[in-house]
Amino acid sequence: MQLSMALAGNPNAGKTTLFNQLTGARQHVGNYPGITVDRKEGIIHHQNRTITLTDLPGTYSMTAYSAEELVTRDYLVNERPQVVINIVDASNLERNLYLTCQLLELGVPLVIALNMIDVAKDRGIEVKAEVLEKLLQVPVVPIIARSGFGKQELLNACLRHTAVKTGWNPRDISYGEDLDTTLNELITTIDENALLSDSYPSRYTAIKYLENDDQIIEKGRRNDPATAGILEELVAKTTAHTQKTLDVFPEAIIADHRYGYIKSILRQGVVSHKFDTDRLYTSDKIDKVLTNRLVGPVIMLLILFAVYQFTFSWSEVPVTWLESAFTWLGAQVESNLPDGLLKSMIISGIIDGVGGVLGFVPLIMFMFFSIAILEDSGYLARVAFMMDRIFRIFGLHGSSVMPFIVSGGIAGGCAVPGVMATRTLRSPKERMATLLTVPFMNCGAKLPVLALLIGAFFSENKPRYMFLFTMLAWLVALLAAKILRSTVLRGAPTPFVMELPPYRFPTLRGLLIHTWERTFQYIKKAGTVILGISILLWASMTFPGLSVEKTAFFEQQRQAVMSAAPSEIAAELQADGGQLSAPATDLNDQLRRINNAETEARLANSLAGRLGTSLEPVTRLAGFDWRTDIALIGGFAAKEVIVSTLGTAYSMGEVDTEASESLGQRLQNDNNWNKVVAVAALVFIMFYAPCFVTVVCIAKESSWKWAAFSMGFNTIFAFVMAVAVYQVGMLLNLG
Ligand code: GDP
Ligand code: MG
């Protein structure tokens, strides 16, 4: 018979390491339906048995407080694994046993893997597994997940456990007289009406009611409103009582008693210290420096800068390889397919689209690799700890800092890995607020556009303006976060519960697995949708194309130029597809001008073009003409497309994003443009809808509803700001 087991434990207890040790390469990563918590499964063969092991999300507790915690307990009650392996960090026992305590109360068949005994030993802590086993009355197996020590014994203990134990066996912990009395009343009512008895032991349901657990209360109401009413009334009475007598809520009393229970167990000879307990351990010594009030932030900035450098400079080479591979592919198609719609679709729709997705892969890999180093070594927790005070003001969390940096907090990042980096945030609202505001940062693709406009209108002070716009991005992102957290994402800030785990040397194996898992998820998630959207965008800028008369008109003009030219030059021209060297530059110029006019006319007539034209009356408020509008619509594909589309719309032909000098001059001389319009456009481009790769990632990390919100919110927000800039600027005559 196949056995199912689950692995539960605190973040950083070594779950992933043990999971990899036990399952090797036989694992599969998926998602829990509807949320972005990873669901990992692996197969173990042991003593001729086949075991499916599920890696549950790391949690400190089992409240209804975060997605991870809900997933953990829902999994346990719905799937009822035959054994739950609870991995605890022996060097940090007291805190780790809090989760153990709740698993015992739920009554799941438990086996404790006492991990990191090597670390504990280094610190002079010895944990006596057999004593702990006797006191907790569950098997306790000492292991070192990193080296694999003890894993056979652990599996043996699990198999032995399945052989004897059947069914759940919830543990009673006393919560003091007041609560125990209420608990008994609650349990009686629950038992009489069999409320939720399919899923939870009645004592567990009762405790959850006292803990004011949203999910259970909601389930109770749905299942049996009458009984739920009685229970809620009982709880309300007790709450009022504890409030009056002790000035606390029952949940606090429950937590206190759980810690008390753990303390009492630990005091009975489980732990013995070789050294003085208040001696400074290595980690504490390191922390003295790294989280020092003065030196800490400086070191942090240096480290973040190094991560940034590593991510963006080291990935440059593979990114260039990928780009040239796709350019080569494009060139192959260019020379092997006949001109026409199919070719244009393959090149501009498919190759550019897929290239766009895969082009991010090296970046994402390098970024996740650096984050994995920071995370596995324990430093990320320190960064979060130091940044928390500042980010809290804006309704964010200390852990928000990494996504912001990666997205372009130092100009030139990318919002795609930034959005994915928000996974380190545990609270859903703070995570959403971060997710929605990271696209405000100045990513690498916005830089050519900023460079074009700043170069054209403020060339005298380029570096200063670049710096200014980076600061502006931070300011606006933080303010927008504040706005979101006071409106659609209102809610109390999460207390900073993340502990500071001891520093550790990350293992290469761990780093590589972390990096690969996350990167592959990006490819799988983003890759599928993006092809479709990319083709749609191409189509909207291509169809319906030019009318027969218009096409004929341009052809006629070309003929006219050609027939005016001496016949041998004209023949050569035709053979070269309109390109010719020195002698006929003038002719060449005339032809190019006609070609550019045709491309412009085709763009103007396309769906995107018509949309741009029809938007003009509105966008005039911000000083944008229809050509700018088209470019901004194109910018949804990727922000750097704004430059090339502006080029087409202004009849400049193909514009290289790097060599946009002449386009800048063209804009400078255009009546529609001046300094005020340029600033309005800059503001709009910095803050309007993220590019569609980012939007797809937001959707995959949250939901399409939030992705749509992000597009709408950002665009309206950006437009209001652009209008304000333009109107005030024009009023003050700054143009
Ligand atoms: P998770 O958050 O529970 O999945 O924890 P990980 O498996 O990612 O482990 C966190 C860190 O602890 C990693 O750097 C591991 O290499 C390290 N680690 C895990 N188990 C042990 C162990 O038994 N001994 C030592 N020294 N380090 C360990
Ligand atoms: Mg892990």
Side-chain angles (χ1 to χ4, degrees):
M1 189 195 65
Q2 184 139 358
L3 286 168
S4 78
M5 297 188 184
L7 190 56
N10 287 12
N12 272 311
K15 246 161 26 62
T16 307
T17 312
L18 178 62
F19 185 84
N20 292 335
Q21 275 286 354
L22 292 177
T23 63
R26 296 172 298 269
Q27 41 176 282
H28 165 81
V29 187
N31 251 5
Y32 290 94
I35 49 172
T36 52
V37 178
D38 290 348
R39 174 179 183 154
K40 236 182 353 184
E41 260 172 24
I43 303 285
I44 306 169
H45 297 291
H46 186 72
Q47 293 186 3
N48 294 326
R49 308 289 294 267
T50 304
I51 304 165
T52 316
L53 182 67
T54 304
D55 188 19
L56 295 172
T59 58
Y60 292 113
S61 167
M62 284 210 291
T63 56
Y65 181 61
S66 72
E68 283 83 2
E69 303 191 5
L70 276 178
V71 162
T72 300
R73 68 184 208 198
D74 283 348
Y75 182 87
L76 295 176
V77 295
N78 297 331
E79 309 289 330
R80 306 235 157 196
Q82 277 126 322
V83 174
V84 177
I85 301 175
N86 175 203
I87 181 164
V88 299
D89 176 353
S91 66
N92 206 345
L93 206 51
E94 189 165 329
R95 171 164 207 138
N96 275 249
L97 287 179
Y98 192 72
L99 178 68
T100 311
C101 201
Q102 296 176 63
L103 289 167
L104 288 171
E105 284 181 288
L106 185 55
V108 297
L110 207 61
V111 170
I112 292 179
L114 185 65
N115 191 29
M116 309 228 191
I117 48 173
D118 55 332
V119 180
K121 206 167 144 208
D122 283 349
R123 295 193 188 184
I125 305 170
E126 192 198 344
V127 182
K128 300 211 172 71
E130 59 303 337
V131 182
L132 188 61
E133 178 167 314
K134 204 180 82 214
L135 292 170
L136 286 176
Q137 293 169 315
V138 292
V140 176
V141 185
I143 63 165
I144 300 175
R146 184 130 97 169
S147 70
F149 169 84
K151 70 176 182 184
Q152 299 303 333
E153 289 77 3
L154 178 66
L155 289 174
N156 290 342
C158 292
L159 288 188
R160 239 179 290 133
H161 203 53
T162 56
V164 279
K165 278 256 165 62
T166 43
W168 283 18
N169 183 14
R171 186 72 46 96
D172 280 9
I173 293 174
S174 163
Y175 293 115
E177 213 183 303
D178 280 354
L179 294 195
D180 282 349
T181 318
T182 313
L183 268 179
N184 285 334
E185 287 170 20
L186 291 171
I187 292 169
T188 315
T189 313
I190 292 169
D191 280 340
E192 272 168 10
N193 299 285
L195 183 76
L196 304 178
S197 57
D198 291 345
S199 312
Y200 310 96
S202 49
R203 188 177 169 86
Y204 188 80
T205 310
I207 294 172
K208 288 295 152 191
Y209 261 92
L210 271 181
E211 282 185 304
N212 197 15
D213 184 290
D214 291 343
Q215 190 204 31
I216 299 284
I217 292 176
E218 160 82 13
K219 275 191 180 168
R221 281 186 195 152
R222 237 184 302 126
N223 260 263
D224 183 350
T227 311
I230 301 175
L231 297 177
E232 284 175 41
E233 207 171 300
L234 269 169
V235 171
K237 222 171 62 195
T238 311
T239 307
H241 181 71
T242 60
Q243 280 268 288
K244 210 165 61 208
T245 54
L246 302 165
D247 196 25
V248 288
F249 287 96
E251 40 206 298
I253 303 181
I254 292 178
D256 282 351
H257 277 84
R258 281 192 189 129
Y259 277 117
Y261 176 77
I262 296 166
K263 271 212 168 69
S264 74
I265 285 182
L266 291 185
R267 224 174 276 143
Q268 298 175 53
V270 175
V271 192
S272 63
H273 290 275
K274 260 211 225 99
F275 321 131
D276 249 359
T277 32
D278 57 7
R279 162 201 138 101
L280 281 184
Y281 303 124
T282 323
S283 270
D284 298 331
K285 281 189 201 148
I286 301 176
D287 266 340
K288 279 245 148 166
V289 181
L290 290 191
T291 59
N292 178 286
R293 275 174 161 261
L294 298 173
V295 193
V298 177
I299 299 177
M300 177 176 74
L301 283 181
L302 289 178
I303 292 182
L304 291 180
F305 189 71
V307 164
Y308 186 86
Q309 279 292 318
F310 170 74
T311 306
F312 290 97
S313 355
W314 285 52
S315 63
E316 218 164 75
V317 175
V319 165
T320 319
W321 286 344
L322 271 175
E323 268 168 9
S324 28
F326 278 95
T327 313
W328 177 84
L329 204 64
Q332 284 319 96
V333 175
E334 177 72 50
S335 55
N336 287 321
L337 275 187
D339 279 346
L341 276 182
L342 181 68
K343 177 164 158 180
S344 147
M345 185 185 84
I346 291 180
I347 292 179
S348 310
I350 298 177
I351 295 183
D352 283 359
V354 174
V357 176
L358 292 184
F360 284 119
V361 168
L363 206 66
I364 285 186
M365 255 168 65
F366 280 79
M367 192 269 312
F368 277 139
F369 189 78
S370 356
I371 290 191
I373 295 179
L374 296 188
E375 206 176 352
D376 289 2
S377 65
Y379 187 67
L380 199 61
R382 271 75 182 180
V383 174
F385 173 78
M386 285 186 276
M387 289 306 288
D388 196 55
R389 274 221 216 129
I390 299 170
F391 273 59
R392 183 157 300 254
I393 302 173
F394 299 96
L396 297 170
H397 189 269
S399 310
S400 308
V401 71
M402 205 62 202
F404 275 106
I405 303 266
V406 171
S407 301
I410 312 166
C414 174
V416 172
V419 162
M420 306 196 69
T422 60
R423 288 188 189 170
T424 48
L425 280 146
R426 305 228 154 236
S427 138
K429 284 191 175 149
E430 283 157 359
R431 175 161 189 243
M432 267 325 296
T434 313
L435 202 68
L436 291 173
T437 47
V438 291
F440 286 145
M441 293 287 129
N442 284 329
C443 69
K446 287 181 198 168
L447 288 187
V449 195
L450 297 196
L452 166 73
L453 292 178
I454 292 175
F457 293 95
F458 306 98
S459 50
E460 66 285 14
N461 260 322
K462 221 165 158 180
R464 192 190 304 167
Y465 278 94
M466 276 300 206
F467 181 73
L468 215 70
F469 282 109
T470 306
M471 288 295 109
L472 182 67
W474 272 100
L475 189 71
V476 169
L478 290 177
L479 287 180
K482 183 75 192 163
I483 294 175
L484 289 170
R485 288 286 277 134
S486 345
T487 53
V488 279
L489 292 169
R490 195 169 358 176
T494 330
F496 191 81
V497 283
M498 213 157 143
E499 69 173 289
L500 301 179
Y503 289 103
R504 291 198 191 96
F505 264 109
T507 59
L508 189 61
R509 184 188 157 117
L511 293 178
L512 292 180
I513 290 180
H514 269 144
T515 307
W516 171 243
E517 271 171 11
R518 293 171 172 175
T519 308
F520 185 65
Q521 270 184 5
Y522 160 75
I523 299 176
K524 214 169 52 178
K525 285 175 161 183
T528 40
V529 192
I530 277 164
L531 187 59
I533 300 186
S534 173
I535 292 180
L536 275 180
L537 270 172
W538 164 83
S540 77
M541 294 180 80
T542 307
F543 292 109
L546 280 182
S547 62
V548 182
E549 298 88 63
K550 268 280 169 71
T551 317
F553 167 76
F554 285 114
E555 193 49 44
Q556 219 168 32
Q557 288 211 317
R558 267 190 290 264
Q559 292 299 333
V561 173
M562 303 275 249
S563 54
S567 58
E568 66 269 30
I569 297 182
E572 198 180 328
L573 251 181
Q574 215 144 23
D576 282 0
Q579 300 292 316
L580 197 71
S581 44
T585 27
D586 191 38
L587 203 71
N588 215 349
D589 262 7
Q590 286 184 37
L591 278 178
R592 189 176 312 130
R593 215 159 288 149
I594 297 170
N595 284 343
N596 289 347
E598 187 180 6
T599 326
E600 183 200 331
R602 192 177 299 132
L603 182 64
N605 193 47
S606 73
L607 227 60
R610 291 176 193 202
L611 190 61
T613 318
S614 64
L615 281 177
E616 198 184 63
V618 183
T619 57
R620 271 276 164 224
L621 289 172
F624 306 157
D625 64 349
W626 63 271
R627 297 169 208 263
T628 314
D629 292 349
I630 300 179
L632 293 174
I633 294 171
F636 181 58
K639 302 278 151 146
E640 72 265 27
V641 170
I642 295 175
V643 175
S644 57
T645 315
L646 265 180
T648 311
Y650 275 101
S651 283
M652 301 291 295
E654 285 283 308
V655 174
D656 193 339
T657 37
E658 248 103 77
S660 50
E661 209 75 63
S662 50
L663 176 59
Q665 272 160 19
R666 175 82 173 76
L667 294 181
Q668 246 178 328
N669 298 332
D670 195 279
N671 282 337
N672 281 312
W673 283 84
N674 56 40
K675 282 190 175 175
V676 175
V677 177
V679 175
L682 279 169
V683 166
F684 188 78
I685 290 165
M686 277 170 69
F687 302 123
Y688 83 118
C691 72
F692 78 82
V693 186
T694 307
V695 171
V696 171
C697 282
I698 293 179
K700 295 296 180 180
E701 292 295 311
S702 54
S703 66
W704 281 102
K705 204 184 81 196
W706 279 113
F709 176 84
S710 161
M711 288 196 284
F713 174 78
N714 290 16
T715 307
I716 292 168
F717 184 80
F719 187 64
V720 169
M721 300 229 308
V723 171
V725 167
Y726 179 71
Q727 298 295 345
V728 172
M730 291 315 268
L731 211 68
L732 299 178
N733 240 331
L734 296 175

